[in-house]
Amino acid sequence: MKSRWVPYATTPGRLLWQLLSDVVVIIWTTIWVLVGMAVHSAVSIIADFGYQLESGANGVAGNLDSAGNSADDIPLIGDSLARPLTAAGDAAREIAGAGQNLGVTAGWLAWLLALAVAAPPILALMMPWLFLRVRFFRRKWTAVTLASTAAGEQLLALRALANRPLAKLAAVSADPVGAWREQDPIAIRGLAALELRASGIRAAGLKHQ
């Protein structure tokens, strides 16, 4: 993972933490997606009931209409018999319309509730994770780009003098500031390596352009 395009560290410790964070994010996201799907399935039962009610009521309305048409053909009393059957068919169609409205409303509600349940916890973890990963990628890109030139390596060494612990600086050179001022290539490379490691990058394999 030496490429500057890869958003992962090349130092073992930092890389391990990044991989573990990826696993945690994947597991966390999977759990809440499953919870959202369960909520959607539970509410969708209401939508299914609404559509079943619509289908059944339409069937009843069709049967009542057929019966009314048949009754209307009966001499003398046909109209009297057909009128209540037709009214009952109209009532059944109203019930079918209510069932359809219930199904549509419950269907939308199922998706909204699923998103409302799953999205907040997913975003609560995903957004900090993404922010840290993007920040690391930008830092890695800058550090690798600087390390590819002699002038950039000197700048990294200067940052190490300003930011790294004194014990680590002393391990590179007895007089790290003096070595940097004298442009000692070994000391500068060692100081730059300190700054690179702090950014999660191993200096090995990086070459000047």
Side-chain angles (χ1 to χ4, degrees):
M1 295 186 183
K2 296 179 181 179
S3 172
R4 70 185 67 184
W5 295 102
V6 180
Y8 288 95
T10 54
T11 54
R14 178 73 67 84
L15 176 60
L16 178 60
W17 279 111
Q18 287 180 335
L19 293 176
L20 286 176
S21 70
D22 290 352
V23 172
V24 170
V25 168
I26 292 173
I27 293 175
W28 181 261
T29 302
T30 301
I31 289 173
W32 282 104
V33 167
L34 293 176
V35 171
M37 292 173 61
V39 171
H40 179 271
S41 297
V43 180
S44 292
I45 294 175
I46 301 176
D48 293 339
F49 172 76
Y51 290 127
Q52 290 174 3
L53 179 62
E54 176 192 13
S55 178
N58 280 328
V60 171
N63 291 333
L64 289 172
D65 289 341
S66 178
N69 292 331
S70 299
D72 195 37
D73 295 334
I74 300 176
L76 300 177
I77 61 171
D79 185 61
S80 299
L81 292 175
R83 191 177 300 114
L85 292 174
T86 301
D90 292 338
R93 273 186 288 274
E94 291 181 1
I95 295 175
Q100 181 186 27
N101 291 334
L102 176 61
V104 172
T105 302
W108 280 105
L109 184 61
W111 284 109
L112 290 176
L113 289 178
L115 290 174
V117 169
I122 290 175
L123 292 177
L125 185 65
M126 182 73 71
M127 296 307 294
W129 170 84
L130 183 61
F131 170 78
L132 293 175
R133 187 55 56 84
V134 170
R135 187 177 69 172
F136 169 81
F137 175 75
R138 293 180 61 183
R139 185 178 181 183
K140 177 183 177 181
W141 172 274
T142 302
V144 172
T145 301
L146 289 174
S148 64
T149 65
E153 193 174 62
Q154 290 180 8
L155 181 57
L156 288 172
L158 181 60
R159 285 181 56 86
L161 290 173
N163 299 323
R164 298 306 116 214
L166 293 177
K168 292 186 177 181
L169 295 177
V172 175
S173 172
D175 182 13
V177 176
W180 182 84
R181 288 176 177 174
E182 295 173 1
Q183 297 187 5
D184 182 343
I186 297 178
I188 288 177
R189 174 150 292 189
L191 293 171
L194 284 179
E195 191 65 21
L196 288 171
R197 281 197 295 272
S199 300
I201 304 165
R202 291 190 300 177
L206 296 179
K207 298 180 180 180
H208 297 165
Q209 293 179 350

